[in-house]
Amino acid sequence: MHGDPGRATEDGGRTTVLHVAEAWGGGVQTAVRDYVRSVPEVRHLLLMSERSDCQVADTDAIFDGVWRMPPGHFARVREVGRLFRELRPDVVHAHSSLAGGYVRLALAVPTDRIVYTPHCYAMERGDLARYAAAAVRAVERVLSRRTGTVAGVSPREVELARSLRKRQRAVHVPNLVPCQETVAAVPSNPRAEPEVRTGDTGLPPRTVAAVGRLCPQKDPAFFAEAAAEGRRLMPSSNWFWLGGGESVHRERLERAGVTVTGWLDHRSLQRLLAQADVYAHTARWEGAPMTLLEAVGLGRPVVARRIPALESLGLTGLVDTPLDLATAAVALLTHGPGEKTDARLDQLFAEHTPERQRTMLRYAYDQ
């Protein structure tokens, strides 16, 4: 534990938010850290469990208190209740489905103090059998009665929240598109000064890059098929996966001619992403993907797979098959993005700003 828990109720009337994150790492970590920066007048506490397969940035420096979850689901529900009774935060903000379950099952926490951000509802998972997805939806429907506000990261999450409970209080809290200026040490000429943790010399010309953990959600097999098609359409094209994960996915990508970098620190990842000619997003399900927004912030052309979350964000040119992705990527490598595509990405940039995020978070916390 870090910080003085007694301060949570003795801080001059400042609103206190206890964030609960069962899978602290990756996009959830990035999103919550942005929330902290967007509403600095709020006292932010964190109860979390670290993901073993993700790099975790220092948390103690930005939160007023940090606690680690005990093992076991029932123990975690009890810990949420114990911390609420001890700290008496104004808001308990649950991040992701399991954390949402822990918080809403902790009956000590009043419903009107619960804010829930699914970061993609579990029933959206493309790897669930139909009966399993129906069961997850039924659980979410029951737990929605214990949800004060849903703070969705996309219009799709807000839509789903209101389909679960008609009068659900829900708001779209956009993830941030980072400005190029905020990316530390990204050179103005991205190919001029490559610096990657692995010691590589940077990305070659005509590169299509995907980013993320090698896992079923990100669907590396879709990208592998696209890479094989893309190399057939343009033999000089290069296909990279920036990230690491399960070896079976890495082997599948490498057989298709994709270069897999392995895990990169965030700065190295940003520098490589800035060098990509095209960013490709192939996930089977998402909330509002941070890597896609980072690519937009870096001015990279984007080609993305059609899923409900991305449709709700208004992205144009979404594709349905690996061949479609390869064809679109090669067209971007050859001709660059069109004016219509540039206009929509500019609009997406304008909608995902710190000011907009701050306004929506303040609404979510003001119950």
PDB file of all heavy atoms in Angstrom, residues 5 37 58 62 70 85 144 199 205 219 226 261 308 339 344:
ATOM      1  N   PRO A   5      -4.257   6.318   4.014  1.00  0.00           N
ATOM      2  CA  PRO A   5      -5.679   6.127   3.757  1.00  0.00           C
ATOM      3  C   PRO A   5      -6.551   7.097   4.519  1.00  0.00           C
ATOM      4  O   PRO A   5      -7.652   7.433   4.098  1.00  0.00           O
ATOM      5  CB  PRO A   5      -5.926   4.671   4.174  1.00  0.00           C
ATOM      6  CG  PRO A   5      -4.805   4.330   5.093  1.00  0.00           C
ATOM      7  CD  PRO A   5      -3.635   5.129   4.615  1.00  0.00           C
ATOM      8  N   ARG A  37      -5.046  12.733 -14.999  1.00  0.00           N
ATOM      9  CA  ARG A  37      -4.531  14.014 -15.482  1.00  0.00           C
ATOM     10  C   ARG A  37      -5.658  14.964 -15.907  1.00  0.00           C
ATOM     11  O   ARG A  37      -5.509  16.185 -15.813  1.00  0.00           O
ATOM     12  CB  ARG A  37      -3.557  13.786 -16.647  1.00  0.00           C
ATOM     13  CG  ARG A  37      -2.210  13.216 -16.212  1.00  0.00           C
ATOM     14  CD  ARG A  37      -1.237  13.154 -17.377  1.00  0.00           C
ATOM     15  NE  ARG A  37      -1.531  12.064 -18.273  1.00  0.00           N
ATOM     16  CZ  ARG A  37      -0.945  10.861 -18.211  1.00  0.00           C
ATOM     17  NH1 ARG A  37      -0.041  10.620 -17.284  1.00  0.00           N
ATOM     18  NH2 ARG A  37      -1.261   9.916 -19.079  1.00  0.00           N
ATOM     19  N   ASP A  58       4.985   3.150 -13.403  1.00  0.00           N
ATOM     20  CA  ASP A  58       4.928   3.520 -11.996  1.00  0.00           C
ATOM     21  C   ASP A  58       3.580   4.153 -11.687  1.00  0.00           C
ATOM     22  O   ASP A  58       3.123   5.055 -12.385  1.00  0.00           O
ATOM     23  CB  ASP A  58       6.053   4.505 -11.665  1.00  0.00           C
ATOM     24  CG  ASP A  58       5.994   4.966 -10.226  1.00  0.00           C
ATOM     25  OD1 ASP A  58       5.885   4.100  -9.339  1.00  0.00           O
ATOM     26  OD2 ASP A  58       6.036   6.192  -9.994  1.00  0.00           O
ATOM     27  N   ILE A  62       1.355   9.014  -9.232  1.00  0.00           N
ATOM     28  CA  ILE A  62       0.202   9.790  -9.691  1.00  0.00           C
ATOM     29  C   ILE A  62      -1.049   9.567  -8.858  1.00  0.00           C
ATOM     30  O   ILE A  62      -2.005  10.330  -8.987  1.00  0.00           O
ATOM     31  CB  ILE A  62      -0.105   9.510 -11.175  1.00  0.00           C
ATOM     32  CG1 ILE A  62      -0.589   8.083 -11.382  1.00  0.00           C
ATOM     33  CG2 ILE A  62       1.092   9.808 -12.050  1.00  0.00           C
ATOM     34  CD1 ILE A  62      -1.183   7.862 -12.754  1.00  0.00           C
ATOM     35  N   PRO A  70      -6.146  -8.838  -3.307  1.00  0.00           N
ATOM     36  CA  PRO A  70      -5.769 -10.189  -2.887  1.00  0.00           C
ATOM     37  C   PRO A  70      -6.178 -11.185  -3.966  1.00  0.00           C
ATOM     38  O   PRO A  70      -6.997 -10.873  -4.839  1.00  0.00           O
ATOM     39  CB  PRO A  70      -6.596 -10.388  -1.614  1.00  0.00           C
ATOM     40  CG  PRO A  70      -7.808  -9.538  -1.827  1.00  0.00           C
ATOM     41  CD  PRO A  70      -7.338  -8.336  -2.604  1.00  0.00           C
ATOM     42  N   ARG A  85     -15.595   1.070   3.135  1.00  0.00           N
ATOM     43  CA  ARG A  85     -15.971   1.425   4.504  1.00  0.00           C
ATOM     44  C   ARG A  85     -14.870   2.211   5.203  1.00  0.00           C
ATOM     45  O   ARG A  85     -15.139   3.121   5.998  1.00  0.00           O
ATOM     46  CB  ARG A  85     -16.301   0.158   5.296  1.00  0.00           C
ATOM     47  CG  ARG A  85     -17.612  -0.509   4.892  1.00  0.00           C
ATOM     48  CD  ARG A  85     -17.987  -1.625   5.837  1.00  0.00           C
ATOM     49  NE  ARG A  85     -17.027  -2.726   5.770  1.00  0.00           N
ATOM     50  CZ  ARG A  85     -17.154  -3.770   4.952  1.00  0.00           C
ATOM     51  NH1 ARG A  85     -18.193  -3.828   4.119  1.00  0.00           N
ATOM     52  NH2 ARG A  85     -16.257  -4.734   4.954  1.00  0.00           N
ATOM     53  N   SER A 144     -26.594  -4.369 -13.843  1.00  0.00           N
ATOM     54  CA  SER A 144     -26.889  -2.987 -14.232  1.00  0.00           C
ATOM     55  C   SER A 144     -27.773  -2.292 -13.200  1.00  0.00           C
ATOM     56  O   SER A 144     -27.753  -1.056 -13.083  1.00  0.00           O
ATOM     57  CB  SER A 144     -27.554  -2.952 -15.611  1.00  0.00           C
ATOM     58  OG  SER A 144     -28.874  -3.484 -15.570  1.00  0.00           O
ATOM     59  N   GLY A 199      17.279  -2.783 -30.331  1.00  0.00           N
ATOM     60  CA  GLY A 199      18.523  -2.534 -31.054  1.00  0.00           C
ATOM     61  C   GLY A 199      18.353  -2.514 -32.550  1.00  0.00           C
ATOM     62  O   GLY A 199      19.314  -2.362 -33.293  1.00  0.00           O
ATOM     63  N   PRO A 205      11.049   1.397 -45.278  1.00  0.00           N
ATOM     64  CA  PRO A 205       9.960   2.045 -46.042  1.00  0.00           C
ATOM     65  C   PRO A 205       8.862   1.044 -46.386  1.00  0.00           C
ATOM     66  O   PRO A 205       9.060  -0.166 -46.356  1.00  0.00           O
ATOM     67  CB  PRO A 205      10.670   2.539 -47.312  1.00  0.00           C
ATOM     68  CG  PRO A 205      12.121   2.584 -46.957  1.00  0.00           C
ATOM     69  CD  PRO A 205      12.345   1.478 -45.973  1.00  0.00           C
ATOM     70  N   ASP A 219      -6.374 -10.802 -32.649  1.00  0.00           N
ATOM     71  CA  ASP A 219      -6.479 -11.633 -33.850  1.00  0.00           C
ATOM     72  C   ASP A 219      -5.264 -11.513 -34.772  1.00  0.00           C
ATOM     73  O   ASP A 219      -5.377 -11.083 -35.929  1.00  0.00           O
ATOM     74  CB  ASP A 219      -7.747 -11.297 -34.625  1.00  0.00           C
ATOM     75  CG  ASP A 219      -8.222 -12.465 -35.500  1.00  0.00           C
ATOM     76  OD1 ASP A 219      -7.500 -13.485 -35.554  1.00  0.00           O
ATOM     77  OD2 ASP A 219      -9.287 -12.352 -36.112  1.00  0.00           O
ATOM     78  N   ALA A 226      -3.530 -11.085 -43.923  1.00  0.00           N
ATOM     79  CA  ALA A 226      -3.448  -9.823 -44.661  1.00  0.00           C
ATOM     80  C   ALA A 226      -2.030  -9.576 -45.151  1.00  0.00           C
ATOM     81  O   ALA A 226      -1.813  -9.105 -46.275  1.00  0.00           O
ATOM     82  CB  ALA A 226      -3.926  -8.672 -43.777  1.00  0.00           C
ATOM     83  N   THR A 261       8.401  -7.637 -33.217  1.00  0.00           N
ATOM     84  CA  THR A 261       9.462  -6.978 -32.447  1.00  0.00           C
ATOM     85  C   THR A 261       9.634  -7.549 -31.054  1.00  0.00           C
ATOM     86  O   THR A 261      10.708  -7.451 -30.463  1.00  0.00           O
ATOM     87  CB  THR A 261       9.165  -5.472 -32.302  1.00  0.00           C
ATOM     88  OG1 THR A 261       7.971  -5.298 -31.526  1.00  0.00           O
ATOM     89  CG2 THR A 261       9.023  -4.802 -33.651  1.00  0.00           C
ATOM     90  N   PRO A 308     -18.245  -3.338 -34.151  1.00  0.00           N
ATOM     91  CA  PRO A 308     -19.229  -2.329 -33.726  1.00  0.00           C
ATOM     92  C   PRO A 308     -18.617  -1.110 -33.044  1.00  0.00           C
ATOM     93  O   PRO A 308     -19.077   0.018 -33.271  1.00  0.00           O
ATOM     94  CB  PRO A 308     -20.130  -3.115 -32.771  1.00  0.00           C
ATOM     95  CG  PRO A 308     -20.069  -4.519 -33.274  1.00  0.00           C
ATOM     96  CD  PRO A 308     -18.646  -4.701 -33.736  1.00  0.00           C
ATOM     97  N   GLU A 339      -8.766  12.725 -49.170  1.00  0.00           N
ATOM     98  CA  GLU A 339      -9.208  13.871 -48.384  1.00  0.00           C
ATOM     99  C   GLU A 339     -10.334  13.493 -47.418  1.00  0.00           C
ATOM    100  O   GLU A 339     -10.384  13.979 -46.289  1.00  0.00           O
ATOM    101  CB  GLU A 339      -9.682  14.989 -49.311  1.00  0.00           C
ATOM    102  CG  GLU A 339      -8.560  15.630 -50.112  1.00  0.00           C
ATOM    103  CD  GLU A 339      -9.057  16.783 -50.958  1.00  0.00           C
ATOM    104  OE1 GLU A 339     -10.251  17.140 -50.819  1.00  0.00           O
ATOM    105  OE2 GLU A 339      -8.269  17.321 -51.743  1.00  0.00           O
ATOM    106  N   ARG A 344     -12.107  12.711 -41.709  1.00  0.00           N
ATOM    107  CA  ARG A 344     -12.704  11.949 -40.596  1.00  0.00           C
ATOM    108  C   ARG A 344     -11.701  11.756 -39.475  1.00  0.00           C
ATOM    109  O   ARG A 344     -12.056  11.832 -38.293  1.00  0.00           O
ATOM    110  CB  ARG A 344     -13.216  10.587 -41.086  1.00  0.00           C
ATOM    111  CG  ARG A 344     -13.825   9.740 -39.974  1.00  0.00           C
ATOM    112  CD  ARG A 344     -14.969  10.465 -39.267  1.00  0.00           C
ATOM    113  NE  ARG A 344     -15.337   9.837 -38.004  1.00  0.00           N
ATOM    114  CZ  ARG A 344     -15.412  10.464 -36.853  1.00  0.00           C
ATOM    115  NH1 ARG A 344     -15.113  11.757 -36.770  1.00  0.00           N
ATOM    116  NH2 ARG A 344     -15.779   9.838 -35.764  1.00  0.00           N
TER     117      ARG A 344
END
